[in-house]
Amino acid sequence: YRLGKMHAMGYGVEQSHTDAIEWYDQAVQWRNPFAAYALGSMYCYGQGVEKDEEKAFQCFKLAAEHPSKPNAYAQYQLGRMCKEGLGTNTDRFASEQWYRQAYQGFLRMEQDMADDKLYYRLGSMNLSGTGTDVDLIQAMLYFEKAAELGNVDALYGLGKLYLRKDFEGYDMAKAAEYLEDAAKQGHSYAQYLLGKLLLRGEDIPQDCDAAIQWLEKSAEQDNQYAQYLLGKILLRGDGMEADPKRAVELLERSIEQGNLYAAYFLGKACLSGEAIPQDIDRAIRLLTDAAERGMDSAMYALAKLYLADELVPMDKEKAIYWLKKAVALNNQYAQYQLGKMLLFGQGIDRDIDEG
């Protein structure tokens, strides 16, 4: 395990993920829980090996179930993977069990070490109610401990905490201070959230120039949310000169990272042809991509497109397919449209009760 870690980190030898994997794999054969967790992480994130979530899950499980040294970080990963259906079937009950074991493991670790990352993890779990009940005061205390040890993520966590109106210490000005402190240290999510707050100007004074600067910094670090928001602003020209070319570039970068809202927004823009040249084929590809990944607004947009018989030939079969999908996700516009069609038998067998 030690040799694997030295090769993975480049300590005393040239960094080599391939060599690290070989040593970790040998240690795992001896049921070393640290090596199992390290190897699982490499499979999980595709470091030096092809990404394989099933193998990652198996390695994490080996580390998490070690009889004498169960790995709390592996237990946390199993909680996440069971929740999201990564490398295994989605299992909310198992997810909660793993998260609870991880939380108790982190508490035991806390007794033996003062570690900023551990404090931040405990703070985040108390903030979100992951593996434990939501406890905002406890979250604050852990974040403060982590921040004192120089953890920038904890400053971001404190910023988010003070934004919560259900927190007895709710304080927008204080939240902005913590976010700015983290943002100045290069924290991309703090930069994004601070930019968003300054742009809205609802609870703190609006400052569009500063907002754009923070969003730019965040987008430069490939923060998909900043890229999406900045892309929207530049395409619409909200409070600044429009720049459609750069807007599209930002939105495309956000889409590459899986941002459904960016795909939907750019798809709608391609459909209307107002801010950028109309491109129906591209619009359909983008909207379909967002719809297939569960976005009800994109489903409804596609249904409307196929019903209108304007930009594309009418296709009631496709329209009804997407309407039903959107209805299943409680989209009220789709419910109204499909209900009307059923009541009057428009393109579908009449069914007054269902309508």
Side-chain angles (χ1 to χ4, degrees), residues 140-155:
M140 178 191 71
L141 294 174
Y142 277 123
F143 283 147
E144 286 178 344
K145 281 184 176 182
E148 286 172 6
L149 294 174
N151 190 295
V152 181
D153 288 326
L155 294 173

Side-chain angles (χ1 to χ4, degrees), residues 26-317:
Q26 289 187 52
V28 168
Q29 292 175 34
W30 290 91
R31 296 185 62 79
N32 183 297
F34 306 108
Y37 174 71
L39 188 60
S41 297
M42 296 184 85
Y43 278 119
C44 188
Y45 300 109
Q47 292 179 318
V49 67
E50 187 175 346
K51 187 174 180 178
D52 189 327
E53 289 170 341
E54 289 186 7
K55 283 187 178 179
F57 187 86
Q58 292 167 7
C59 289
F60 287 143
K61 201 164 187 291
L62 184 65
E65 294 179 338
H66 193 275
S68 60
K69 297 178 181 177
N71 188 295
Y73 288 101
Q75 291 167 344
Y76 185 91
Q77 287 284 21
L78 288 172
R80 182 182 69 85
M81 296 179 85
C82 286
K83 180 180 179 181
E84 298 176 13
L86 303 173
T88 187
N89 295 325
T90 301
D91 188 334
R92 295 283 176 172
F93 179 77
S95 172
E96 182 60 24
Q97 293 300 107
W98 283 121
Y99 275 139
R100 288 194 176 278
Q101 288 185 53
Y103 185 77
Q104 293 303 316
F106 292 142
L107 288 180
R108 288 191 293 272
M109 290 168 64
E110 183 196 4
Q111 304 305 312
D112 301 321
M113 64 173 73
D115 182 86
D116 65 294
K117 292 180 181 177
L118 178 59
Y119 291 146
Y120 172 70
R121 181 68 61 95
L122 285 165
S124 296
M125 294 179 81
N126 277 280
L127 182 67
S128 62
T130 301
T132 186
D133 295 333
V134 172
D135 189 332
L136 301 184
I137 297 299
Q138 199 65 35
M140 178 191 71
L141 294 174
Y142 277 123
F143 283 147
E144 286 178 344
K145 281 184 176 182
E148 286 172 6
L149 294 174
N151 190 295
V152 181
D153 288 326
L155 294 173
Y156 172 63
L158 285 165
K160 287 201 300 180
L161 177 61
Y162 280 99
L163 284 175
R164 290 183 60 148
K165 292 185 178 179
D166 59 341
F167 176 49
E168 63 182 51
Y170 169 73
D171 187 330
M172 282 296 301
K174 203 165 187 178
E177 286 178 15
Y178 278 120
L179 290 173
E180 186 173 7
D181 196 355
K184 286 178 177 176
Q185 295 182 60
H187 196 287
S188 74
Y189 284 93
Q191 292 167 345
Y192 160 70
L193 186 51
L194 183 59
K196 191 175 175 182
L197 292 172
L198 289 167
L199 198 63
R200 287 179 178 173
E202 293 175 359
D203 298 293
I204 58 174
Q206 187 178 47
D207 189 336
C208 292
D209 290 340
I212 297 301
Q213 288 175 15
W214 285 121
L215 290 173
E216 289 277 13
K217 288 180 182 293
S218 183
E220 285 172 7
Q221 296 191 68
D222 268 343
N223 184 299
Q224 60 169 297
Y225 306 105
Q227 290 166 344
Y228 163 60
L229 181 54
L230 193 56
K232 272 207 314 183
I233 293 167
L234 289 169
L235 197 63
R236 290 173 172 172
D238 293 337
M240 63 186 300
E241 186 178 349
D243 187 343
K245 183 179 178 182
R246 180 133 192 281
V248 171
E249 289 173 357
L250 286 164
L251 290 168
E252 286 175 340
R253 284 166 59 192
S254 183
I255 291 166
E256 286 172 5
Q257 297 184 69
N259 192 300
L260 299 182
Y261 296 97
Y264 172 71
F265 182 78
L266 186 56
K268 293 277 284 184
C270 288
L271 204 60
S272 70
E274 294 174 4
I276 56 176
Q278 191 175 59
D279 188 335
I280 305 302
D281 289 340
R282 189 181 189 193
I284 291 173
R285 285 197 304 273
L286 289 166
L287 291 172
T288 301
D289 177 50
E292 287 178 345
R293 288 191 285 149
M295 189 176 193
D296 63 291
S297 297
M299 295 171 188
Y300 177 65
L302 284 168
K304 280 206 310 178
L305 180 65
Y306 289 123
L307 280 174
D309 197 24
E310 294 174 356
L311 299 176
V312 297
M314 183 182 289
D315 189 330
K316 288 187 177 178
E317 187 177 337

